[in-house]
């Protein structure tokens, strides 16, 4: 039984999003008070509807590009559109969310002496020349391309976190999140897993960019949330950055074939031109995570995770 003095008041920005809502679930299950902040640009009240009656859950509609004045013990800063369709819709706002949002949340953490975690991304590595990508790799990012608003925004946020740590002794954690999937993904977010699943369930052609040889590593959302919570729980001497993701590597063609097989779809696979600056390969080196996060390692394999995700999308379409 958790005693009162161990209950923390935890702020989750972007808490109504795909990842954020699962994190809120887990924090409440651990006995904490959760303040979920989201402007609902890409997040959805449907993701947290089941939490609204919870006595230790509070939702606040707020944009992190404006200061926030609350009293909290820990902050998970997840606020930012994370899929190309969404972050390229308003690229200036995407950069502002990453940079101004980080400044505002770091300022809040400084005022209330809270520990703060930044949800960074594997996109800081760009189109990598090193494979798999360790945290020591500085990346290969185009600073003026269509993806730059997200890539460079997150890189700048990391810079701010470490400058606040050095200059103000702030307790910071930075996690670099690799491709994550699971229930509550937005069906039209343009990410490869949701794209393939929706196309297969509708019986449409499954569209692969390029020749299908480019690779990604896919981490199920429960494994990702576990790693984030473990990262927040590390001692103050550990700041990261730390890669969190599943090192299993699959080509886009392999992923499409798995999705078609699990859904039982008759969809055909078709190939279209590769978008600008699309990385050819992406796979985390999770050696540091396994060492620093208490032996954390992903537990859910791709086939199992895909079945759960497909069941979620199928139910949303009224098929299950």
């Amino acid at each position: 039984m958790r005693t009162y003095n161990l209950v923390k008041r935890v702020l989750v920005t972007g808490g109504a999003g795909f990842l954020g809502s699962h994190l809120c679930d887990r924090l409440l299950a651990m006995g904490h008070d959760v303040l979920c902040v989201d402007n609902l640009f890409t997040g959805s009240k449907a993701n947290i509807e089941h939490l609204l009656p919870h006595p230790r859950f509070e939702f606040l509609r707020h944009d992190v590009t404006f200061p926030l004045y609350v009293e909290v013990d820990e902050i998970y800063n997840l606020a930012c559109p994370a899929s190309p369709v969404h972050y390229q819709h308003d690229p200036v706002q995407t950069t502002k969310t990453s940079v101004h949002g980080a400044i505002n949340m770091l300022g809040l953490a400084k005022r209330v002496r809270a520990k703060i975690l930044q949800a960074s991304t594997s996109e800081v590595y760009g189109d990598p020349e090193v494979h798999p990508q360790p945290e020591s790799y500085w990346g290969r990012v185009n600073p003026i391309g269509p993806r730059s608003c997200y890539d460079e925004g997150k890189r700048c946020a990391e810079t701010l976190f470490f400058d606040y740590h050095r200059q103000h002794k702030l307790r910071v954690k930075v996690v670099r999140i690799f491709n994550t999937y699971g229930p509550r993904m937005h069906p039209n977010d343009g990410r490869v897993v949701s794209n393939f699943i929706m196309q297969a369930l509708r019986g449409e052609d499954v569209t692969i960019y390029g020749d299908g040889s480019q690779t990604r590593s896919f981490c199920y959302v429960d494994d990702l949330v576990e790693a984030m919570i473990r990262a927040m729980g590390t001692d103050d001497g550990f700041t990261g950055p730390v890669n969190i993701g599943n090192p299993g590597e699959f080509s886009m063609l392999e992923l499409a074939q798995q999705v078609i097989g699990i859904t039982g779809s008759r969809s055909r696979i078709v190939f279209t031109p590769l978008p600008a600056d699309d990385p050819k390969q992406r796979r985390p080196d999770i050696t540091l995570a396994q060492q620093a996060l208490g032996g954390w390692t992903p537990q859910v394999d791709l086939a199992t995770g895909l079945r759960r995700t497909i069941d979620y999308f199928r139910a949303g379409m009224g098929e299950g």
Side-chain angles (χ1 to χ4, degrees):
M1 186 73 150
R2 183 175 288 277
T3 57
Y4 178 77
N5 64 351
L6 292 180
V7 174
K8 295 170 185 169
R9 184 159 170 76
V10 183
L11 166 62
V12 180
T13 72
F18 160 51
L19 282 181
S21 61
H22 284 279
L23 178 60
C24 289
D25 283 341
R26 181 65 191 282
L27 290 167
L28 286 168
M30 293 170 68
H32 299 308
D33 293 328
V34 175
L35 173 59
C36 167
V37 167
D38 204 299
N39 69 353
L40 301 181
F41 172 60
T42 57
S44 169
K45 268 195 174 178
N47 289 337
I48 54 168
E49 196 170 13
H50 63 293
L51 299 178
L52 294 175
H54 198 293
R56 285 184 282 102
F57 180 80
E58 183 180 353
F59 171 68
L60 175 64
R61 186 165 184 170
H62 178 83
D63 190 319
V64 296
T65 61
F66 297 94
L68 182 63
Y69 300 97
V70 293
E71 299 294 323
V72 292
D73 302 305
E74 293 180 349
I75 302 167
Y76 288 84
N77 187 36
L78 276 62
C80 189
S83 72
V85 167
H86 290 146
Y87 67 63
Q88 291 174 8
H89 172 72
D90 188 346
V92 172
Q93 187 63 27
T94 295
T95 302
K96 286 174 68 175
T97 301
S98 287
V99 178
H100 291 189
I103 290 170
N104 287 330
M105 291 306 107
L106 288 162
L108 172 61
K110 182 185 170 190
R111 281 194 300 276
V112 301
R113 299 181 180 180
K115 191 189 298 187
I116 181 168
L117 180 144
Q118 168 68 8
S120 190
T121 172
S122 61
E123 297 296 335
V124 301
Y125 298 122
D127 190 1
E129 299 164 297
V130 174
H131 192 75
Q133 294 80 56
E135 292 84 357
S136 58
Y137 177 53
W138 290 355
R140 177 172 172 260
V141 175
N142 176 1
I144 59 169
R147 302 169 69 104
S148 306
C149 59
Y150 185 68
D151 302 1
E152 297 289 29
K154 289 288 193 177
R155 284 163 71 96
C156 186
E158 286 197 15
T159 300
L160 286 161
F161 265 68
F162 281 91
D163 283 339
Y164 266 78
H165 172 65
R166 286 184 286 258
Q167 189 171 338
H168 301 296
K169 312 302 180 195
L170 211 60
R171 295 178 296 156
V172 304
K173 312 290 178 185
V174 174
V175 297
R176 291 176 176 165
I177 297 171
F178 283 68
N179 290 56
T180 307
Y181 70 101
R184 299 183 204 154
M185 292 185 83
H186 195 291
N188 301 312
D189 66 5
R191 297 191 221 200
V192 65
V193 172
S194 48
N195 270 4
F196 285 1
I197 290 174
M198 292 304 295
Q199 289 170 337
L201 289 177
R202 291 169 178 156
E204 301 168 353
D205 290 344
V206 172
T207 307
I208 293 180
Y209 296 118
D211 62 6
S213 63
Q214 68 271 36
T215 65
R216 295 292 184 274
S217 301
F218 301 100
C219 187
Y220 189 68
V221 62
D222 291 355
D223 288 331
L224 194 285
V225 166
E226 173 67 23
M228 291 179 74
I229 289 171
R230 290 193 187 199
M232 182 66 95
T234 55
D235 65 48
D236 292 348
F238 181 78
T239 58
V242 57
N243 291 335
I244 50 177
N246 192 320
E249 189 174 10
F250 298 88
S251 72
M252 295 301 94
L253 184 58
E254 289 173 318
L255 176 67
Q257 290 167 339
Q258 281 215 42
V259 168
I260 289 171
I262 294 170
T263 56
S265 174
R266 295 184 178 179
S267 294
R268 298 179 310 132
I269 294 174
V270 298
F271 299 90
T272 60
L274 201 63
D277 300 329
D278 192 65
K280 307 299 184 298
Q281 52 186 12
R282 188 66 66 68
R283 176 188 169 201
D285 181 333
I286 62 167
T287 304
L288 178 61
Q290 291 171 321
Q291 293 169 350
L293 307 184
W296 172 84
T297 194
Q299 301 298 308
V300 180
D301 63 73
L302 183 62
T304 302
L306 283 176
R307 286 190 196 96
R308 295 176 188 173
T309 309
I310 288 164
D311 287 346
Y312 168 80
F313 280 118
R314 188 170 263 145
M317 295 173 69
E319 293 186 18

